[in-house]
């Protein structure tokens, strides 16, 4: 594939439609709101790359822009996929104070404070999203965390999720889907969350079996029956966790042969002979990971995540084929998404940021220094997306309609006002680089930093008018609050 | 006589009035008589429905126990609640000689005796799915088996209701996200906390200019513009009418839980008379595959929370419960037989609840299909003898006086009202 420059991109999508996409209007309904008299961003500020970064990562910093401009789009994607080679000390350095992240499960279970692992894991998730240069990797960690969602406040999960995050999701987020699935099937947190830990041959528990098919692999329309669910549950009887009753030894994966139903099973038309023991589950994992319905379901969810709430069927097909031909190689699957024409033409259009994405992008693009302790936690909580707090196994919704409501908008505006004015303890915004500049320059510099372009002229004039009338805070503070609260900043 | 003030007209007027005048305690003589305000001495026109969704699949056989059915005890040797025995609080609370309440639901017994509480047993959605997400989706759309209808049943009720109401608070959902029953053309408020529903967050300065600027920035956005305007209107209206420290009436005590506090705020909004017609509140956590708890534990705790909150709401609203009806439902019931982990798997038929002072309370409605093996359906579940749309349809047509049932529940041809809402005066 050839490299795409900004000029090519403009040619590709047409000047007017590029602007339309820029303003974040819904496709089809947008042309009315476009102001063509807008000043273009400075030439060196490549809007295509800026918009690509908004999708690949969690908010383009000036350093990200330098990096992608130096290497070009494709090389940047490849370098992000090779995440192990990116120095991560910017994030890991901030995590060293969280002692529970690397604790073995025995120690986690024995902690005096039952909520310490919960809050450290939440803080770590936010810190990594904001400060790690491995941006695509962290985005994929978030994606799989929701795909294999585990509610952290359920019983022993509060200390088991640490291991799921560390040993299941993070090592496999850009690896192979079968490995990820197999690891998740052995995850003590998952076994407890969806009750497989107590599933026995006499009374198999269907909870995990059902969600394994419906949410983790085939999808609800993946062609399985209630009988398939029962036999999946039987196949996984005995896949459990050590010491569930004796808390002193809680939390390692174990296979309890005496609890396993060793009879023959028939799942999705395939025979599972009697006497296979743990191989039942291994065979099941291979079968599900290779199933075409799984490929399609994962492809659909990934395209929805990276492009649009209404994924184009053609691209889903293509990505699904890549998933199958690469045998679930997540990097190959992502390449087929990022290097598609559909990805390029979708840029700039309305994919609403989820609250965590909104907060992370504000923090990254403004260079906010925070450890995400209580005051920041409260703000995220008000928006309804504390990491690991979604109680149902389907994970936080990944479409805008689920978030776009009065509570969400108000909470975003309040975040913008609170953070820009420095009213949030433990979250410092440094706007001194704008102090003393004339107001038009303040607005333009901040627009480029946060939105990637200069505001349409009429709006720019309105913002400047507002700055003059807002007393009590410096213009850069007001401008920052307004731009963070603006509709443009709600999209990625 | 019909008032049809627009929302904007109202806000303009309301903003000009001092807050004390619009506060609930204000002398009513001074209140402007908007369509959704009560003219002096008269009941407001629109009745109110509070819709509670018990997410996760509430075990109706553990809440309203069929103690008169011997198969119940056969299927649940370790989980069943013993037959009622007065004075023993580790037994069911008898309702009608056949059904009884789980002991954690004791706060609801007074409502039952007051004829303010009815149940419908073996009710639910005819679609056989045992997926939480599909079952919830079908129930909230009101179209079992059909995902083509994009709107929710409550939204369609409001869309086709016969009366005027320009309030932005016409329909309110509690929680960070809106339930999909409210998805539709009438914008709904999503509210977590009345106290936090103001612009400014932690910033203590002047926010008026920010507010104007936000409004103007969003004006050109096709997707967000209307929603932003609506949000700012709602913030402004709520601030003008709601007092910050709410005192429930009749010494009602709401539980300190999120659900209890949500119901208290529903009561607060209803009493503020700002035009609420429909409120939706969620209570999750009912997916009790293991250790659901016979007398204590996860499910008894949820039942206690649900019951205490509903009882407080009923007491707090007092005579207003004549025009406020509450209903509670869940996406499906649970397997009749208990499982190896002292829990229950996904099932089918379930119990629904209806509360209010103009309902035909003190009765368990519906036909009991029985729990013998040949009567169970699918993998061993309670059959459904009442379609949930017959229950909700009756509330829509009689309580909410909406004649367009065919719009609220499209393609539902088997509407069979049970007589739950027959006492409602129009």
């Amino acid at each position: 594939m050839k490299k795409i420059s900004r000029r090519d991109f403009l040619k590709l999508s047409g000047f007017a439609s590029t602007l339309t996409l820029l303003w974040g209007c819904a496709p089809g309904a947008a042309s009315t709101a476009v102001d063509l008299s807008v000043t273009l961003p400075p030439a060196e500020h490549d809007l295509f790359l800026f918009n690509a970064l908004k999708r690949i990562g969690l908010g383009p910093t000036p350093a990200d822009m330098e990096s992608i401009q130096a290497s070009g789009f494709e090389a940047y994607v490849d370098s992000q996929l090779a995440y192990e080679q990116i120095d991560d000390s910017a994030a890991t350095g901030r995590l060293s104070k969280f002692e529970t992240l690397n604790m073995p499960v025995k120690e986690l279970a024995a902690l005096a404070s039952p909520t310490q692992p919960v809050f450290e894991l939440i803080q770590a998730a936010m810190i990594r999203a904001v400060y790690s240069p491995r941006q695509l990797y962290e985005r994929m960690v978030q994606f799989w965390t929701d795909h294999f969602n585990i509610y952290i406040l359920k019983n022993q999960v509060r200390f088991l999720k640490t291991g799921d995050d560390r040993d299941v999701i993070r090592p496999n987020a850009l690896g192979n889907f079968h490995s990820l699935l197999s690891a998740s099937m052995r995850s003590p947190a998952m076994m407890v969350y969806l009750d497989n830990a107590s599933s026995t041959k006499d009374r198999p528990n269907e909870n995990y079996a059902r969600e394994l098919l419906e949410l983790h692999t085939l999808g609800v329309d993946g062609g399985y029956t209630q009988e398939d669910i029962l036999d999946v549950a039987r196949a996984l009887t005995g896949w459990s966790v050590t010491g569930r009753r004796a808390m002193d030894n809680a939390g390692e994966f174990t296979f309890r042969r005496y609890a396993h139903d060793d009879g023959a099973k028939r799942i999705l038309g395939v025979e599972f002979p009697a006497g296979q023991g743990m191989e039942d589950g291994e065979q099941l994992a291979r079968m599900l990971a290779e199933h075409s319905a799984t490929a399609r379901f994962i492809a659909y969810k990934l395209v929805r995540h990276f492009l649009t709430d209404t994924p184009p069927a053609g691209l889903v097909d293509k990505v699904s084929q890549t998933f199958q031909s690469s045998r679930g190689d997540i990097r190959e699957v992502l390449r087929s998404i990022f290097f598609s024409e559909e990805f390029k033409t979708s840029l700039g259009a309305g994919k609403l940021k989820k609250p965590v994405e909104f907060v992370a992008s504000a923090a990254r693009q403004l260079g906010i220094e925070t450890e995400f302790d209580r005051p920041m936690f409260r703000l995220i909580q008000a928006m309804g997306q504390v990491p690991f707090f979604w109680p149902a196994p389907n994970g936080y919704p990944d479409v805008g309609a689920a978030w776009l409501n009065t509570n969400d908008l108000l909470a975003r505006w309040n975040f913008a006002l609170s953070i820009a004015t420095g009213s949030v303890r433990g979250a410092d915004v440094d706007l001194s680089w704008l102090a003393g500049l004339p107001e038009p320059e303040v607005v333009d510099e901040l627009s480029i930093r946060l939105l990637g372009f200069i505001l349409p002229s009429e709006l720019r004039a309105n913002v400047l008018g507002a700055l003059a009338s807002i007393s009590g805070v410096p213009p850069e503070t007001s401008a920052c609050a307004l731009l963070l609260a603006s509709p443009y900043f709600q999209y990625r | 006589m019909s008032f049809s003030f627009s929302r904007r007209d109202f806000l303009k007027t309301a903003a000009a009035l001092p807050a004390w005048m619009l506060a609930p305690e204000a002398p009513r003589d001074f209140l402007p008589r908007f369509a959704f305000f009560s003219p002096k001495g008269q009941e407001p026109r629109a009745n109110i429905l509070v819709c509670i969704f018990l997410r996760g699949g509430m075990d109706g056989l553990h809440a309203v126990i069929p103690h008169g059915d011997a198969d119940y005890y056969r299927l649940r040797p370790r989980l069943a609640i013993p037959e009622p025995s007065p004075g023993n609080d580790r037994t069911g609370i008898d309702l009608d000689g056949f059904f009884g309440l789980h002991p954690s639901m004791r706060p609801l017994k007074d409502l039952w005796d007051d004829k303010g509480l009815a149940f419908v047993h073996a009710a639910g959605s005819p679609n056989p799915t045992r997926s939480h997400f599909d079952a919830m989706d079908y129930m909230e759309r009101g179209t079992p088996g059909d995902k083509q209808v994009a709107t929710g049943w409550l939204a369609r009720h409001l869309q086709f209701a016969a009366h005027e109401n320009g309030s932005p608070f016409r329909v309110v959902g509690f929680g960070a996200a809106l339930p999909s029953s409210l998805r539709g053309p009438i914008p709904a408020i999503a509210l977590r906390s009345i106290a936090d529903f103001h612009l400014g967050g932690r910033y203590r300065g002047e926010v008026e200019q920010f507010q104007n600027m936000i409004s103007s920035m969003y004006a050109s956005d096709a997707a967000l513009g209307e929603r932003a305007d609506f949000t700012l209107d709602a913030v402004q209206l709520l601030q003008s009418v709601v007092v910050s420290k709410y005192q429930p009436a009749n010494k009602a005590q709401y539980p300190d839980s999120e659900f209890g506090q949500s119901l208290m705020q529903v009561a607060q909004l209803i009493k503020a008379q700002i035009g609420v017609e429909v409120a939706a509140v969620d209570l999750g956590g009912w997916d009790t595959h293991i250790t659901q708890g016979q007398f204590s534990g996860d499910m008894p705790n949820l039942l206690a929370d649900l019951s205490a909150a509903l009882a407080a709401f009923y007491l707090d609203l007092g005579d207003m419960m004549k025009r406020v009806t509450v209903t509670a439902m869940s996406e499906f019931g649970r397997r009749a037989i208990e499982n190896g982990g002292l829990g229950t798997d996904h099932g089918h038929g379930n119990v629904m609840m209806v509360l209010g002072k103009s309902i035909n309370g003190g009765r368990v409605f519906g036909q009991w299909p029985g729990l013998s093996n040949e009567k169970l359906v699918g993998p061993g579940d309670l059959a459904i003898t009442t379609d949930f749309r017959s229950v909700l349809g009756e509330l829509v047509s009689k309580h909410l006086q909406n004649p367009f049932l065919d719009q609220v529940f499209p393609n539902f041809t088997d509407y069979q009202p049970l007589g739950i809402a027959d006492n409602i005066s129009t």
Side-chain angles (χ1 to χ4, degrees):
Chain A
M1 281 193 91
K2 73 183 183 71
K3 287 191 180 177
I4 307 236
S5 71
R6 169 167 160 278
R7 192 172 304 137
D8 289 336
F9 175 65
L10 290 177
K11 248 188 280 168
L12 189 78
S13 37
F15 186 63
S17 70
T18 307
L19 289 174
T20 304
L21 294 170
L22 259 177
W23 307 145
C25 299
S31 53
T32 51
V34 175
D35 177 357
L36 289 171
S37 64
V38 60
T39 321
L40 270 178
E44 71 275 10
H45 194 85
D46 196 322
L47 195 52
F48 164 72
L49 295 178
F50 190 89
N51 284 338
L53 284 174
K54 288 204 296 185
R55 294 283 177 79
I56 296 166
L58 290 138
T61 62
D64 292 335
M65 274 306 281
E66 267 174 43
S67 158
I68 197 170
Q69 280 168 329
S71 67
F73 171 68
E74 287 182 33
Y76 179 82
V77 169
D78 281 331
S79 70
Q80 282 288 310
L81 286 170
Y83 72 97
E84 302 96 326
Q85 288 158 39
I86 304 172
D87 174 20
D88 202 27
S89 53
T92 51
R94 294 166 197 260
L95 298 177
S96 54
K97 60 182 288 192
F98 300 125
E99 55 177 358
T100 63
L101 296 180
N102 293 312
M103 256 182 202
V105 68
K106 259 189 178 173
E107 286 177 41
L108 286 163
L111 283 170
S113 159
T115 52
Q116 188 187 351
V118 174
F119 288 104
E120 291 194 355
L121 197 63
I122 292 167
Q123 284 180 273
M126 293 305 302
I127 285 171
R128 284 162 162 154
V130 172
Y131 300 108
S132 172
R134 302 172 172 185
Q135 281 284 292
L136 175 57
Y137 171 69
E138 292 300 337
R139 188 173 264 295
M140 287 305 293
V141 167
Q142 292 184 354
F143 176 86
W144 294 121
T145 298
D146 277 319
H147 184 81
F148 293 100
N149 186 52
I150 295 174
Y151 178 47
I152 202 168
L153 297 182
K154 176 171 172 174
N155 305 337
Q156 300 100 310
V157 173
R158 65 181 167 72
F159 63 83
L160 294 177
K161 178 63 196 175
T162 300
D164 181 82
D165 187 69
R166 178 184 64 209
D167 308 328
V168 176
I169 302 292
R170 298 188 66 82
N172 294 295
L174 280 174
N176 175 277
F177 182 76
H178 174 254
S179 309
L180 175 59
L181 179 67
S182 300
S184 177
M185 288 170 73
R186 288 171 175 75
S187 167
M190 185 64 87
M191 296 295 98
V192 170
Y193 173 52
L194 291 180
D195 305 318
N196 208 74
S198 62
S199 185
T200 63
K201 62 183 170 194
D202 298 331
R203 297 281 171 82
N205 194 307
E206 292 168 23
N207 197 14
Y208 178 62
R210 178 184 306 278
E211 308 307 3
L212 177 65
L213 302 189
E214 176 176 338
L215 300 175
H216 299 168
T217 57
L218 306 175
V220 72
D221 299 318
Y224 56 89
T225 64
Q226 172 68 26
E227 287 70 38
D228 289 324
I229 291 172
L230 276 171
D231 272 7
V232 168
R234 291 176 59 221
L236 294 174
T237 46
W239 288 53
S240 189
V241 179
T242 54
R244 271 183 44 71
R245 288 193 178 80
M247 289 288 285
D248 54 349
N249 190 25
E252 305 279 358
F253 173 77
T254 185
F255 176 67
R256 300 183 200 279
R257 181 162 266 287
Y258 63 86
H260 181 69
D261 179 340
D262 234 353
K265 290 125 200 144
R266 187 183 168 83
I267 299 168
L268 301 165
V270 174
E271 302 297 337
F272 285 56
Q276 287 204 117
M278 209 178 153
E279 171 57 20
D280 274 353
E282 312 277 14
Q283 184 184 345
L284 177 68
R286 289 192 301 273
M287 191 171 101
L288 292 175
E290 286 171 9
H291 200 283
S292 63
T294 301
R296 215 187 145 67
F297 183 53
I298 304 290
Y300 179 88
K301 284 189 72 174
L302 281 169
V303 172
R304 187 178 66 181
H305 182 80
F306 283 106
L307 270 76
T308 161
D309 291 353
T310 51
L315 182 61
V316 174
D317 283 344
K318 248 188 322 189
V319 174
S320 167
Q321 281 159 22
T322 307
F323 187 100
Q324 287 198 277
S325 62
S326 70
R327 301 185 69 116
D329 182 328
I330 296 165
R331 293 179 213 231
E332 283 309 311
V333 170
L334 290 180
R335 272 194 190 91
S336 72
I337 291 174
F338 292 131
F339 298 154
S340 69
E341 282 310 301
E342 289 92 336
F343 176 74
K344 290 169 183 99
T345 49
S346 81
L347 290 182
K351 179 78 190 171
L352 194 80
K353 292 174 186 172
K354 285 177 283 191
V356 159
E357 293 167 338
F358 167 71
V359 170
S361 60
R364 282 181 63 73
Q365 292 175 250
L366 290 169
I368 292 173
E369 276 300 323
T370 178
E371 290 179 346
F372 290 94
D373 42 18
R374 188 168 295 212
M376 278 296 260
F377 176 86
R378 291 267 184 241
L379 288 171
I380 296 168
Q381 195 177 30
M383 294 182 224
Q385 206 199 355
V386 175
F388 320 114
F389 270 25
W390 182 259
N394 57 345
Y396 281 109
D398 204 9
V399 293
W403 297 105
L404 191 57
N405 60 56
T406 54
N407 177 77
D408 179 54
L409 276 176
L410 189 58
R412 285 172 194 236
W413 298 336
N414 285 341
F415 175 86
L417 270 170
S418 307
I419 205 87
T421 55
S423 312
V424 186
R425 191 170 46 81
D428 301 320
V429 190
D430 180 10
L431 296 173
S432 60
W433 55 288
L434 296 164
L437 290 181
E439 291 187 0
E441 270 183 59
V442 168
V443 171
D444 290 348
E445 288 289 327
L446 262 175
S447 303
I448 290 169
R449 173 73 76 87
L450 291 173
L451 313 176
F453 58 86
I454 288 172
L455 288 176
S457 57
E458 194 186 334
L459 181 58
R460 182 171 176 273
N462 285 346
V463 170
L464 285 168
L467 294 194
S469 69
I470 297 173
S471 53
V473 286
E476 61 271 21
T477 298
S478 309
C480 182
L482 289 174
L483 290 174
L484 289 178
S486 75
Y488 313 110
F489 196 70
Q490 311 313 316
Y491 296 109
R492 65 177 174 94
Chain B
M1 176 140 151
S2 158
F3 294 92
S4 64
F5 281 79
S6 76
R7 187 157 54 88
R8 291 227 154 269
D9 289 337
F10 169 71
L11 287 166
K12 257 185 252 157
T13 318
L17 294 171
W20 62 264
M21 206 176 265
L22 286 164
E25 308 90 302
R28 287 293 133 93
D29 310 57
F30 294 104
L31 284 174
R33 292 176 186 181
F34 299 108
F36 53 89
F37 275 83
S38 161
K40 197 184 177 193
Q42 289 173 32
E43 289 291 288
R45 297 196 316 196
N47 284 338
I48 296 168
L49 183 67
V50 178
C51 205
I52 294 164
F53 209 107
L54 307 172
R55 292 187 194 273
M58 191 268 283
D59 186 8
L61 295 172
H62 205 47
V64 178
I65 61 165
H67 64 78
D69 190 327
D71 285 312
Y72 166 63
Y73 293 100
R74 174 180 62 85
L75 292 161
R76 297 193 166 188
R78 293 178 295 176
L79 210 51
I81 302 299
E83 285 183 62
S85 163
N88 183 348
D89 60 9
R90 288 172 76 83
T91 65
I93 302 163
D94 188 44
L95 293 175
D96 61 0
F98 185 86
F99 292 107
L101 292 175
H102 187 282
S104 295
M105 298 177 82
R106 179 157 299 279
L108 292 180
K109 182 60 166 44
D110 290 345
L111 278 66
W112 173 268
D113 293 338
D114 194 35
K115 309 245 180 278
L117 171 63
F119 295 101
V120 186
H121 225 316
S125 165
N127 187 276
T129 183
R130 278 152 180 84
S131 148
H132 292 295
F133 309 104
D134 270 3
M136 283 192 267
D137 196 38
Y138 290 147
M139 197 170 259
E140 296 192 83
R141 286 176 208 255
T143 56
D146 181 0
K147 293 185 185 176
Q148 299 308 309
V149 176
T151 51
W153 73 274
L154 283 167
R156 288 194 301 277
H157 152 64
L158 290 164
Q159 189 182 354
F160 292 99
H163 50 269
E164 297 272 345
N165 181 347
S167 166
F169 280 87
R170 203 175 167 202
V171 46
V172 184
F174 273 80
L178 279 176
S180 46
S181 55
L182 302 184
R183 198 165 290 162
I186 311 276
I189 302 273
L191 189 63
R192 274 170 70 96
S193 135
I194 289 175
D196 292 340
F197 203 72
H198 63 84
L199 187 65
R202 286 161 189 274
Y203 173 59
R204 301 279 175 245
E206 190 57 56
V207 297
E208 197 176 326
Q209 287 301 327
F210 284 108
Q211 178 164 329
N212 293 340
M213 195 58 222
I214 286 171
S215 172
S216 112
M217 284 191 299
Y218 276 80
S220 63
D221 188 280
L224 298 177
E226 267 186 51
R227 208 53 67 103
D229 228 16
F230 177 73
T231 302
L232 290 169
D233 285 357
V235 166
Q236 199 181 333
L237 174 57
L238 196 61
Q239 279 176 340
S240 67
V241 297
V242 170
V243 289
S244 57
K245 199 83 187 145
Y246 177 68
Q247 204 57 52
N250 304 317
K251 298 190 174 132
Q253 288 198 335
Y254 290 89
D256 203 20
S257 62
E258 190 180 345
F259 178 71
Q261 295 302 300
S262 293
L263 265 194
M264 184 176 84
Q265 296 184 80
V266 171
Q268 189 178 2
L269 289 178
I270 288 173
K271 288 191 192 176
Q273 303 197 35
I274 49 174
V276 174
E277 285 182 58
V278 166
V281 187
D282 282 356
L283 178 57
W286 301 92
D287 196 18
T288 49
H289 285 272
I290 62 159
T291 54
Q292 78 179 41
Q294 186 186 22
F295 297 108
S296 60
D298 291 347
M299 183 165 170
N301 290 344
L302 282 166
L303 289 174
D305 187 24
L306 174 69
S307 305
L310 288 173
F313 184 79
Y314 188 88
L315 191 62
D316 184 11
L317 284 186
D319 268 357
M320 289 184 89
M321 284 304 287
K322 284 180 180 155
R323 60 182 202 89
V324 177
T325 296
V326 182
T327 182
M329 71 203 76
S330 188
E331 68 264 31
F332 44 59
R334 305 193 76 82
R335 193 76 33 92
I337 191 167
E338 66 188 33
N339 67 23
L342 282 173
T344 47
D345 290 315
H346 299 186
H348 196 48
N350 205 356
V351 73
M352 291 175 73
M353 303 172 67
V354 183
L355 281 83
K357 284 195 175 166
S358 54
I359 65 158
N360 216 345
R363 282 179 62 183
V364 179
F365 289 87
Q367 185 203 336
W368 183 247
L371 294 171
S372 62
N373 286 341
E374 64 273 19
K375 297 291 185 189
L376 297 176
V377 299
D381 301 335
L382 177 63
I384 284 172
T385 54
T386 302
D387 190 305
F388 75 105
R389 292 168 293 182
S390 282
V391 179
L392 301 180
E394 191 176 343
L395 300 181
V396 167
S397 61
K398 295 180 188 166
H399 176 65
L400 299 175
Q401 293 153 38
N402 185 338
F404 299 107
L405 259 197
D406 54 335
Q407 299 287 350
V408 179
F409 295 113
N411 305 318
F412 178 43
T413 52
D414 195 28
Y415 174 54
Q416 294 177 26
L418 301 169
I420 304 168
D422 277 349
N423 293 345
I424 285 162
S425 53
T426 53

